Amino acid sequence: MAASSIKIFDTSESVDPTVGFISLPLKKSNFQIQRPYDMPEDQRYSFIDGVHKLWVFKTDKPHSPESHTKPRTEIRILGYDYSSGIWQFEGYGFVPNGTSGVCIMQVFGAGHHATTLMLRVYDGTLSYYTTPLPAVPNIYDRWFRLNVIMMFMLGI
């Protein structure tokens, strides 16, 4: 089970939340692109000048014919055990105006639900599941930095 808390950092603060963590770069060998099963990867994903770009349309199919999920295009990180320890995810995001319901990040492995954490955008507001984070309104059409620290404890 994971313990999580959300802290919104003002970008003018001199706090660096990455201090003390070891960087594990995202490499093609440790991730998988999940996309609509009837689309070639290059129709829903690109990596140009250091930017991973993913897109999905509400009319897309799920990532496999057997899936009962909604359409998705996502990077699934592989090869790490997130069941214990303290882990940090840092990345930048950009959500185009008019996009709603998009999941920015999720962490699987909760005790009673599929996910421990899900950050989504609804009507331009970053939300924890469906609860708006008031410090992050109007996220559309601008780059934002996301830094999440999760602590996983066994037996809780």
Side-chain angles (χ1 to χ4, degrees), residues 62-94:
H63 69 284
S64 76
E66 299 80 27
S67 176
H68 298 289
T69 65
K70 292 184 179 183
R72 68 179 63 199
T73 302
E74 64 187 24
I75 295 176
R76 183 174 183 194
I77 300 174
L78 307 168
Y80 300 106
D81 178 10
Y82 300 105
S83 63
S84 65
I86 299 174
W87 290 86
Q88 179 181 44
F89 170 84
E90 180 183 35
Y92 291 86
F94 184 94

Side-chain angles (χ1 to χ4, degrees), residues 114-147:
T115 60
T116 296
L117 169 73
M118 188 175 290
L119 297 176
R120 301 181 72 113
V121 173
Y122 291 103
D123 301 319
T125 300
L126 185 64
S127 299
Y128 173 75
Y129 291 95
T130 58
T131 304
L133 298 172
V136 195
N138 195 20
I139 205 163
Y140 284 150
D141 292 333
R142 64 185 178 96
W143 285 98
F144 59 91
R145 179 181 174 194
L146 179 65
N147 194 299

Side-chain angles (χ1 to χ4, degrees), residues 6-84:
I6 297 175
K7 176 169 178 16
I8 307 299
F9 288 96
D10 181 339
T11 55
S12 65
E13 292 181 33
S14 61
V15 175
D16 182 355
T18 65
V19 170
F21 285 88
I22 298 169
S23 177
L24 299 172
L26 189 62
K27 299 177 193 169
K28 187 70 174 168
S29 63
N30 67 347
F31 72 84
Q32 174 188 55
I33 302 298
Q34 291 189 336
R35 65 189 189 285
Y37 67 83
D38 63 338
M39 290 284 167
E41 186 174 291
D42 67 353
Q43 295 298 303
R44 294 296 184 265
Y45 167 79
S46 69
F47 181 63
I48 300 170
D49 295 330
V51 176
H52 296 271
K53 182 178 178 183
L54 302 100
W55 57 101
V56 65
F57 299 99
K58 64 182 175 182
T59 56
D60 280 346
K61 292 184 170 45
H63 69 284
S64 76
E66 299 80 27
S67 176
H68 298 289
T69 65
K70 292 184 179 183
R72 68 179 63 199
T73 302
E74 64 187 24
I75 295 176
R76 183 174 183 194
I77 300 174
L78 307 168
Y80 300 106
D81 178 10
Y82 300 105
S83 63
S84 65

